[in-house]
C-alpha cells in the first residue's frame, strides 16, 4: 500500500489537474464568447456599412437624376433662346424690308417720298414768303 504522504501528493496533483482543467475550460469559454461577440460586432458593422453604402448610392443616383433634369432644362432653354434669336432676326429683316420699301410697299414708299418733297417745298415757299 501507498504511504499517506504519497497519497496526499497524488491527491494534490489530481486536484491541481482538475483545477487546471477547470481554468482551461473557463479560458476556452471566454475565448469562444469573445469570438461570438466579435462575430456579432462584425456583422453589426457590416450592416451599418451596407446601410450607409445604400444611402450614398441612393444620393448619387438622385444627384445624377437632378443633373439629367438640369441638362434637359439647359437644352430646352438653348432651343428657346435660338428660336427667339431667329425670330428677332426675322423681325429685324422685316423692319429693314419695310424701311427700304421692299416689303410689297413700293407705292406707299414712293407716295411718302413724294409727300416729303411736297412738304419741303411748302416749307421753302412759306419761309421765302415770311422773309419778304
Amino acid at each position: 500500500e501507498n504511504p499517506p504522504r504519497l497519497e496526499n501528493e497524488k491527491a494534490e496533483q489530481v486536484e491541481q489537474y482538475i483545477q487546471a482543467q477547470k481554468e482551461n475550460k473557463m479560458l476556452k469559454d471566454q475565448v469562444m464568447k469573445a469570438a461570438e461577440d466579435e462575430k456579432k460586432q462584425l456583422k453589426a458593422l457590416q450592416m451599418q456599412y451596407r446601410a450607409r453604402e445604400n444611402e450614398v448610392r441612393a444620393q448619387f443616383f438622385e444627384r445624377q437624376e437632378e443633373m439629367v433634369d438640369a441638362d434637359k432644362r439647359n437644352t430646352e432653354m438653348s432651343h428657346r433662346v435660338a428660336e427667339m434669336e431667329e425670330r428677332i432676326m426675322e423681325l429685324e429683316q422685316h423692319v429693314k424690308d419695310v424701311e427700304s420699301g421692299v416689303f410689297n410697299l413700293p407705292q406707299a414708299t414712293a407716295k411718302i417720298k413724294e409727300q416729303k418733297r411736297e412738304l419741303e417745298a411748302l416749307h421753302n415757299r412759306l419761309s421765302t414768303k415770311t422773309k419778304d
Side-chain angles (χ1 to χ4, degrees):
E1 304 234 346
N2 291 333
R5 190 174 143 250
L6 232 97
E7 284 291 323
N8 282 343
E9 280 182 25
K10 193 176 180 182
E12 196 177 299
Q13 284 180 350
V14 167
E15 177 90 20
Q16 286 176 358
Y17 177 76
I18 290 171
Q19 186 63 32
Q21 288 295 330
K22 284 181 182 177
E23 287 176 12
N24 192 20
K25 184 179 180 336
M26 192 175 72
L27 287 173
K28 281 183 181 179
D29 289 347
Q30 286 177 352
V31 167
M32 292 292 283
K33 175 88 169 95
E36 286 177 25
D37 289 348
E38 188 177 326
K39 282 182 184 177
K40 287 178 185 175
Q41 190 176 19
L42 179 62
K43 198 171 195 176
L45 287 173
Q46 286 173 336
M47 288 173 59
Q48 288 176 353
Y49 172 80
R50 285 188 190 113
R52 180 66 181 136
E53 184 180 35
N54 289 339
E55 185 180 317
V56 168
R57 192 174 276 130
Q59 288 174 349
F60 170 78
F61 287 122
E62 188 177 310
R63 297 294 180 270
Q64 201 173 31
E65 287 176 15
E66 289 173 3
M67 292 298 290
V68 168
D69 290 345
D71 283 345
K72 285 180 184 175
R73 285 193 302 274
N74 283 344
T75 301
E76 289 171 6
M77 289 297 285
S78 293
H79 288 297
R80 281 194 222 141
V81 167
E83 288 171 2
M84 290 175 71
E85 287 175 347
E86 187 177 327
R87 182 69 179 134
I88 288 171
M89 288 172 44
E90 289 173 3
L91 290 171
E92 286 174 344
Q93 187 60 45
H94 179 74
V95 167
K96 287 178 186 173
D97 291 345
V98 168
E99 286 175 345
S100 66
V102 174
F103 197 73
N104 296 328
L105 301 174
Q107 297 87 0
T109 305
K111 184 74 171 170
I112 290 170
K113 286 180 183 177
E114 182 183 319
Q115 287 177 348
K116 278 186 181 179
R117 281 193 295 273
E118 289 176 11
L119 186 59
E120 283 179 31
L122 286 173
H123 276 296
N124 288 339
R125 278 192 239 140
L126 184 60
S127 65
T128 45
K129 285 191 177 184
T130 48
K131 283 182 186 174
D132 292 341

